[in-house]
Amino acid sequence: MSNFRDLLSEKISLFRAADVDTPRLDAALLLAHVLGKNRAWLWAHLDDTMPAILQEKFDTLSTRRAAREPLAYLLGEWEFYARPFHVNSAVLIPRPETELLVEEALKWLHQQPVHQQQTIVDVGTGSGAIAVTLAAEELSLQIIAVDISPESLQVAQRNADRHNVAQRITFLCGDLLQPVSNPVAAIIANLPYIAEEEYLELMPEVRDYEPATALRAADGGLALVWRLIKDTPAHLLPGGLLGLELGEGQAEKVTQELARLKWNNIHTIVDYAGIDRHVLAERPM
């Protein structure tokens, strides 16, 4: 039987050969996951022998990772806004840049004269990362989480239960804002925005494993965004916030359209890679 040091070395070599971006980190995270320990414990026990009962599980997960299955799906969870979120192949893996959209929504909310008991809609909730985080960070909020996929809503509900905010989140299955009846204070959306021609160029972890319906859209990736902008005034209170996550090169087109429609306080948020990633605007009074 092998010790942890030898196993890590073996899997690091396997992942490097498969062009995995972070072979050492991924090997350590998978081994710690199988052992039910954290990485700090693992580094302190590198000479321990791998229990035979866990060897097959570790080998199986490693083989799947070498086939470029996302690490988050193998671990069954991923961190967002310093909280663990359950994920599976029904939902996108939460990205760190989306945390910036949450921060801007909270900042806007706290600048309002009265922000108690406000209602925010999270369109295309997926894992529920945005909805659950907003509810957990602002205890007075009511959230409506909408997704067209029942499987995604099951994952989001599980995460709401995990973080003890389910009583303030209403989960609705439907297309964009169709299930929302009353106007709300803010609408936040991370919709599919990858153009069809760009989809095939994505890294295998994304293209081959994450749900395509949550990634790609027609009209250069903006088909759903244009629909949402058109439908939003009927569902957003005057002065309410619209916050959108977008793909590279899309923010300028969206800000131009919002300006044409006379929206107020239109501004763009740059992500960690220097990309204009989010557009926020307020509905005219």
Side-chain angles (χ1 to χ4, degrees):
M1 290 188 292
S2 302
N3 61 27
F4 299 153
R5 189 189 308 276
D6 292 341
L7 284 172
L8 283 174
S9 178
E10 174 188 319
K11 302 310 182 189
I12 290 168
S13 296
L14 174 68
F15 294 163
R16 282 177 176 155
D19 289 328
V20 170
D21 279 348
T22 53
R24 179 178 174 84
L25 175 63
D26 289 21
L29 285 171
L30 282 176
L31 181 53
H33 170 70
V34 168
L35 294 169
K37 304 291 185 180
N38 59 37
R39 280 187 292 156
W41 183 94
L42 177 60
W43 298 136
H45 294 80
L46 288 177
D47 294 321
D48 287 9
T49 300
M50 182 70 166
I53 195 171
L54 298 178
Q55 178 74 56
E56 183 177 356
K57 181 178 181 181
F58 182 52
D59 288 343
T60 298
L61 289 177
S62 298
T63 299
R64 290 167 63 185
R65 184 67 189 107
R68 305 297 289 275
E69 186 169 346
L71 179 65
Y73 291 159
L74 299 177
L75 298 176
E77 67 178 34
W78 205 244
E79 186 175 284
F80 182 84
Y81 222 85
R83 293 181 179 88
F85 280 81
H86 172 70
V87 292
N88 61 28
S89 58
V91 299
L92 293 184
I93 299 163
R95 266 66 169 181
E97 55 266 26
T98 307
E99 295 179 358
L100 298 172
L101 183 58
V102 171
E103 288 178 3
E104 289 299 313
L106 290 169
K107 185 187 303 181
W108 176 87
L109 185 73
H110 293 153
Q111 292 170 348
Q112 304 312 299
V114 178
H115 70 265
Q116 301 299 313
Q117 299 301 317
Q118 297 276 36
T119 299
I120 292 181
V121 177
D122 173 24
V123 185
T125 195
S127 67
I130 291 176
V132 169
T133 301
L134 287 170
E137 291 293 317
E138 180 51 69
L139 301 182
S140 68
L141 281 180
Q142 298 293 320
I143 310 291
I144 299 172
V146 182
D147 205 288
I148 201 168
S149 163
E151 294 78 15
S152 293
L153 289 173
Q154 290 176 4
V155 176
Q157 177 75 62
R158 178 173 174 180
N159 283 319
D161 292 337
R162 179 176 190 173
H163 295 293
N164 300 311
V165 295
Q167 70 279 9
R168 290 187 289 111
I169 303 180
T170 301
F171 296 95
L172 300 176
C173 189
D175 182 28
L176 298 181
L177 294 168
Q178 174 268 324
V180 180
S181 53
N182 298 319
V184 298
I187 294 171
I188 307 299
N190 182 9
L191 299 173
Y193 56 68
I194 296 173
E196 299 283 352
E197 59 271 19
E198 296 173 355
Y199 181 75
L200 295 177
E201 303 301 320
L202 295 174
M203 60 193 302
E205 284 86 345
V206 179
R207 183 193 64 232
D208 297 339
Y209 291 97
E210 295 197 70
T213 54
L215 288 165
R216 62 188 183 192
D219 196 5
L222 286 170
L224 293 176
V225 172
W226 296 142
R227 281 182 52 206
L228 182 70
I229 291 174
K230 179 181 177 182
D231 294 346
T232 288
H235 296 88
L236 188 62
L237 293 168
L241 177 73
L242 173 64
L244 303 166
E245 180 163 320
L246 301 166
E248 186 172 2
Q250 296 175 345
E252 184 177 1
K253 296 177 183 178
V254 172
T255 55
Q256 288 175 351
E257 176 64 10
L258 291 171
R260 186 186 70 81
L261 296 171
K262 309 300 184 186
W263 283 67
N264 298 321
N265 297 324
I266 304 167
H267 61 286
T268 301
I269 304 300
V270 178
D271 71 8
Y272 304 113
I275 296 169
D276 290 338
R277 180 64 64 187
H278 306 107
V279 170
L280 298 102
E282 294 177 345
R283 183 194 160 188
M285 301 295 288

